Amino acid sequence: SAVISQKPSRDICQRGTSLTIQCQVDSQVTMMFWYRQQPGQSLTLIATANQGSEATYESGFVIDKFPISRPNLTFSTLTVSNMSPEDSSIYLCSVALGTGFTGELFFGEGSRLTVL
Amino acid sequence: GQSLEQPSEVTAVEGAIVQINCTYQTSGFYGLSWYQQHDGGAPTFLSYNALDGLEETGRFSSFLSRSDSYGYLLLQELQMKDSASYFCAVRARSGSARQLTFGSGTQLTVLP
């Protein structure tokens, strides 16, 4: 299994500001995923963070708005830039372990952002 | 792209059996996962089906029919702690090897 720590767990932010969310994993992983989940809604994939290369963004998400860093195999950051109330959401970091894939992702507890 | 459909809410009583269905549309299907999420908590993995049939893990079972693009999660001997949201998720060829697309979730309420 994997233990994933996210910081901050929650924050209240002002419109127009930016916030960086950190994700620390207790083991080395190839790919890390950033998801967004609005209250009571599904999980939507923002991007896949690859170590040593640019993140791969899903449709509707762009690097200027959600820049991602992946400096090593255990850490990643997601920045939510120029925030608006529509960015109020839970942001989740997740990883898959091993070389195969059994359909299992491990998730952090999430970072709940409220934008005023 | 991928799309998944599951009921938004299910209610059952303690000790009962409940089935949560999931139908999906995707190209290049690899497998179907199920996740549980309690309010304010992280999603946790329950099961994964890559082949047709039933997979059993304790009180929880998951079924897949690839020909029908359909699966379900079966929860037996319901307990109050099973009250949570349940998400089905597909792994599809169009994404990265470990990328999942999640359904909208089913809120399960277990009544005493």
Side-chain angles (χ1 to χ4, degrees):
Chain A
S1 67
V3 177
I4 302 173
S5 303
Q6 279 188 240
K7 293 180 182 180
S9 58
R10 60 178 62 234
D11 208 339
I12 299 174
C13 309
Q14 295 299 316
R15 180 195 299 259
T17 63
S18 299
L19 183 79
T20 296
I21 302 167
Q22 299 180 4
C23 177
Q24 179 74 53
V25 188
D26 67 343
S27 57
Q28 295 186 336
V29 294
T30 305
M31 281 189 281
M32 298 173 75
F33 305 96
W34 287 98
Y35 283 87
R36 182 171 74 181
Q37 184 179 32
Q38 296 180 317
Q41 303 296 315
S42 183
L43 290 80
T44 301
L45 182 64
I46 298 171
T48 302
N50 309 301
Q51 195 270 333
S53 64
E54 291 278 333
T56 305
Y57 289 83
E58 297 302 303
S59 176
F61 297 95
V62 294
I63 188 171
D64 289 347
K65 176 67 175 177
F66 298 100
I68 288 172
S69 78
R70 183 80 199 274
N72 57 53
L73 291 175
T74 64
F75 186 79
S76 177
T77 67
L78 170 76
T79 298
V80 186
S81 303
N82 188 24
M83 287 185 283
S84 67
E86 291 71 36
D87 295 318
S88 297
S89 193
I90 301 168
Y91 293 84
L92 294 151
C93 171
S94 72
V95 304
L97 299 183
T99 54
F101 184 54
T102 58
E104 181 173 14
L105 293 179
F106 295 90
F107 285 86
E109 293 289 329
S111 300
R112 183 183 294 264
L113 302 188
T114 302
V115 184
L116 303 178
Chain B
Q2 299 92 38
S3 68
L4 299 96
E5 286 192 20
Q6 53 182 128
S8 59
E9 296 179 342
V10 173
T11 302
V13 296
E14 230 178 340
I17 299 172
V18 71
Q19 178 173 313
I20 299 173
N21 299 320
C22 175
T23 58
Y24 58 87
Q25 287 186 319
T26 184
S27 56
F29 175 82
Y30 277 137
L32 185 71
S33 296
W34 287 93
Y35 285 79
Q36 179 192 62
Q37 186 180 32
H38 288 98
D39 277 349
T44 56
F45 173 78
L46 294 176
S47 67
Y48 177 66
N49 295 69
L51 303 175
D52 286 357
L54 190 69
E55 295 278 345
E56 297 182 63
T57 309
R59 295 187 297 114
F60 293 2
S61 303
S62 58
F63 172 83
L64 176 66
S65 169
R66 295 172 69 109
S67 60
D68 296 323
S69 298
Y70 163 76
Y72 66 72
L73 179 69
L74 190 73
L75 297 84
Q76 302 182 73
E77 301 172 17
L78 280 175
Q79 302 175 9
M80 298 295 290
K81 67 178 182 179
D82 296 329
S83 291
S85 292
Y86 293 84
F87 295 89
C88 57
V90 293
R91 178 189 169 208
R93 194 169 297 134
S94 60
S96 71
R98 300 171 192 187
Q99 181 178 313
L100 295 180
T101 299
F102 285 79
S104 55
T106 299
Q107 178 67 49
L108 171 64
T109 302
V110 181
L111 302 175

